[in-house]
Amino acid sequence: MKFIVKLFPEIIIKSKPVRKKFTQQLRDNLRKLLLPLDSELIIVRDWDRITLETHSTDPSVLKGFVTVLCQTPGIAHVIEVVEYPLIDVHDIYEKTRDTVGDSLRGKTFVVRCKRVGQHDFNSSEVERYVGGGLNQHVESAGVNLHKPDVTVRIEVRNQHLYIVKRRLEGLGGFPLGTVDAVMSLISGGFDSTVSSYMTMKRGMRTHFCFFNLGGREHEVGVKEVALYLWLKYGASHRVKFVSVPFEEVVGEILKNVENSQMGVILKRMMLRAASEVAAQLEVPALVTGEAVAQVSSQTLQNLSVIDQVTDTLVLRPLITMDKLDIIKVAAQIGTEEFAANMPEYCGVISVKPTTRAKPEKIAAQEANFDFAVLERAIAAADFINIDELADEDKTVVDVEVLSIPVSGSVILDVRHPDEVDAKPLNLDNADVQAVPFYELHRRFVELDQSRNYLLYCEKGVMSRLHASHLVEQGFTNVKVYRPS
């Protein structure tokens, strides 16, 4: 069986040296991805196409071929063809009838022919002869030149005849590896997964950088979606998944930064750290999922102030996209379910976040920040090859959730002090202690370990994440309090 890979049009219009480079890269990428399916695969590169020939008839192998071809950047479309030696126009009709005749029953059709080389006929003559023959001898609904149910495609290339059995749409974009690498700041939500996909589609080898604000469950979820994206769209090139522990950074912000400025400063700290990580990998650009005015930190003024902390180029593929459009793309690429079920964790929630950050005020607030905390986070960053994530133990510790406090237990309110003040947790006959989540792990070891502790937060997310983390560390006296 043969597959003819048609290049993305933007590749074809490039200069000869660039087109050759892109086509060769696509061939190398396909070779790496397809040879494990068929070690005897034949791959031939031409100036405007790549031809793949396999002698395998195993349905699972052929299905694997189709999956790879439809998900590899740089391909406009793929045609599955049957090849014959060219004899004459009547033979073209007979071969076409035998190959696709049954698929025309009860349907309107049109014949389209492409021709390369010297022949004693032209493309229009082939279309008329083959179309007329099919119309007479196949039980179709007739010829329709404008809106047919089926388009019968024929290619005559020198002394070879190709009859198209089916046409498959490709991903488009540029072959992975033809553009510089980037570092995507990924949180696992709709935006960051779609922006990562878009850079991969455009030919950029995309590394992943995750800022862990506290909790293994979130990190596990992000690793899973990053591995999914890489396996589906970028497996021809190895990349890194970098996890940066940011819980202490969040705690420093919450203790020393004015509430309204927290969001902008957290983003600035992330860009500082990501720039350092990118420099270690010699990556020239960062990628974020930000879109104009989607949240308070994403106003143009705030984005401008955020970007001032780095000289590294920051790409924002989604900058003008609407949220619903982003979600639609997530559904198309398969990350919607990941994002919808991702345990969101926002360590910094401002009551009245600024939408027009002023550089001088931000600088004054950051003067209170201990940058040694940020340096420790960067130094503790964990670098792992993306393909090794599949071998990691991603088991998330299951923590018991109670809707009614157990007698004798202590409820630890892990919310930010501002949240506690705004909506205190008052329970009769229950010992409630406020321990902000950013101090929880340091203070928990100092507590009376003979007692049981129930962690509480309003939405039940931070409490569950931190309870899991404590159980992983060996504490067996931790549960979650989640009122019904």
Side-chain angles (χ1 to χ4, degrees):
M1 182 173 292
K2 278 195 174 183
F3 296 92
I4 297 177
V5 175
K6 296 301 183 82
L7 306 179
F8 183 56
E10 284 187 47
I11 299 173
I12 297 174
I13 63 174
K14 293 187 177 297
S15 66
K16 283 188 176 181
V18 174
R19 185 175 65 212
K20 180 179 179 181
K21 171 190 171 185
F22 276 48
T23 308
Q24 186 168 323
Q25 182 68 67
L26 179 56
R27 181 201 61 185
D28 292 345
N29 293 351
L30 290 175
R31 185 188 300 277
K32 186 171 184 179
L33 295 169
L34 293 175
L35 281 179
L37 297 175
D38 179 6
S39 60
E40 298 181 357
L41 174 70
I42 299 172
I43 303 179
V44 179
R45 175 176 62 88
D46 205 342
W47 79 276
D48 66 341
R49 61 171 61 191
I50 294 173
T51 303
L52 309 170
E53 184 173 3
T54 176
H55 296 292
S56 174
T57 57
D58 185 338
S60 63
V61 170
L62 299 179
K63 182 179 180 181
F65 266 60
V66 169
T67 299
V68 169
L69 293 172
C70 291
Q71 296 174 354
T72 299
I75 298 175
H77 63 268
V78 180
I79 53 176
E80 180 186 333
V81 301
V82 180
E83 182 183 3
Y84 302 98
L86 177 64
I87 299 176
D88 55 28
V89 174
H90 184 72
D91 187 69
I92 294 176
Y93 153 68
E94 291 184 330
K95 294 294 192 299
T96 304
R97 179 199 61 200
D98 295 343
T99 303
V100 302
D102 290 342
S103 66
L104 304 181
R105 294 182 184 277
K107 299 178 182 178
T108 60
F109 72 93
V110 66
V111 176
R112 298 296 182 213
C113 177
K114 290 184 178 181
R115 189 178 59 86
V116 176
Q118 298 296 319
H119 307 96
D120 57 2
F121 55 81
N122 59 38
S123 297
S124 296
E125 289 171 345
V126 173
E127 292 172 355
R128 287 194 299 268
Y129 191 93
V130 174
L134 292 175
N135 193 38
Q136 291 180 48
H137 301 289
V138 174
E139 297 177 2
S140 69
V143 174
N144 187 324
L145 298 178
H146 303 291
K147 292 184 178 180
D149 297 324
V150 178
T151 298
V152 178
R153 300 185 185 276
I154 299 169
E155 289 199 21
V156 178
R157 181 171 287 260
N158 299 316
Q159 297 306 305
H160 299 275
L161 168 65
Y162 300 98
I163 299 173
V164 178
K165 292 189 67 174
R166 58 174 169 166
R167 171 180 164 133
L168 306 163
E169 293 304 313
L171 201 61
F174 291 150
L176 209 64
T178 55
V179 183
D180 287 337
V182 295
M183 172 73 70
S184 178
L185 279 62
I186 187 168
S187 66
F190 294 103
D191 302 337
S192 63
T193 54
V194 172
S195 61
S196 300
Y197 156 77
M198 292 177 73
T199 56
M200 295 165 77
K201 177 183 174 182
R202 199 60 181 174
M204 295 172 240
R205 190 159 56 101
T206 302
H207 301 274
F208 301 96
C209 183
F210 168 64
F211 292 97
N212 194 339
L213 305 183
R216 172 167 164 75
E217 188 173 354
H218 189 191
E219 182 176 26
V220 167
V222 175
K223 283 181 175 179
E224 287 176 344
V225 73
L227 181 61
Y228 168 85
L229 281 169
W230 177 76
L231 285 171
K232 190 167 185 179
Y233 302 109
S236 60
H237 288 71
R238 176 179 281 179
V239 297
K240 296 286 187 181
F241 183 94
V242 185
S243 181
V244 185
F246 238 54
E247 186 175 18
E248 192 180 1
V249 174
V250 170
E252 183 70 13
I253 291 173
L254 290 169
K255 286 187 290 185
N256 296 313
V257 172
E258 183 183 314
N259 188 282
S260 63
Q261 312 298 312
M262 288 179 178
V264 171
I265 289 179
L266 176 61
K267 290 293 182 68
R268 282 164 63 94
M269 296 300 171
M270 288 180 173
L271 273 197
R272 287 184 172 105
S275 298
E276 293 285 342
V277 170
Q280 293 181 45
L281 295 177
E282 298 182 345
V283 172
L286 305 176
V287 178
T288 77
E290 291 158 318
V292 169
Q294 190 179 114
V295 296
S296 60
S297 65
Q298 294 173 17
T299 62
L300 292 180
Q301 174 67 23
N302 284 357
L303 290 174
S304 176
V305 172
I306 290 168
D307 283 358
Q308 290 174 9
V309 301
T310 182
D311 292 327
T312 307
L313 175 65
V314 180
L315 304 178
R316 295 183 170 92
L318 313 184
I319 195 67
T320 61
M321 289 183 68
D322 297 330
K323 189 69 175 184
L324 288 178
D325 293 332
I326 295 170
I327 294 174
K328 286 179 183 177
V329 176
Q332 292 167 4
I333 65 176
T335 60
E336 181 184 27
E337 289 299 317
F338 285 99
N341 294 289
M342 191 64 63
E344 290 292 335
Y345 186 101
C346 185
V348 170
I349 303 174
S350 298
V351 178
K352 292 182 179 180
T354 181
T355 57
R356 297 193 62 82
K358 294 179 171 52
E360 60 276 9
K361 186 167 185 178
I362 292 294
Q365 290 293 310
E366 288 186 348
N368 300 322
F369 184 92
D370 181 4
F371 277 87
V373 173
L374 181 64
E375 292 171 4
R376 284 198 295 273
I378 296 170
D382 182 32
F383 292 72
I384 184 171
N385 291 327
I386 190 78
D387 53 314
E388 294 174 8
L389 291 182
D391 300 324
E392 273 199 342
D393 178 13
K394 299 190 185 72
T395 304
V396 176
V397 175
D398 191 19
V399 179
E400 187 176 358
V401 179
L402 304 177
S403 59
I404 300 175
V406 176
S407 176
S409 62
V410 178
I411 296 177
L412 300 182
D413 189 339
V414 300
R415 294 176 295 167
H416 186 273
D418 290 349
E419 293 181 82
V420 175
D421 292 341
K423 194 175 181 180
L425 178 65
N426 295 315
L427 297 174
D428 296 332
N429 303 318
D431 183 4
V432 179
Q433 299 179 22
V435 182
F437 65 88
Y438 52 84
E439 296 182 352
L440 178 63
H441 297 277
R442 177 179 59 82
R443 290 174 53 182
F444 193 83
V445 295
E446 302 170 356
L447 299 176
D448 182 357
Q449 298 302 314
S450 66
R451 305 191 66 178
N452 290 315
Y453 296 93
L454 307 182
L455 273 54
Y456 167 80
C457 70
E458 189 166 4
K459 294 184 178 181
V461 177
M462 287 192 292
S463 55
R464 184 161 47 90
L465 292 174
H466 285 284
S468 268
H469 192 43
L470 287 169
V471 171
E472 278 189 327
Q473 293 178 322
F475 296 99
T476 59
N477 55 340
V478 183
K479 295 180 176 61
V480 170
Y481 171 53
R482 179 75 170 138
S484 56

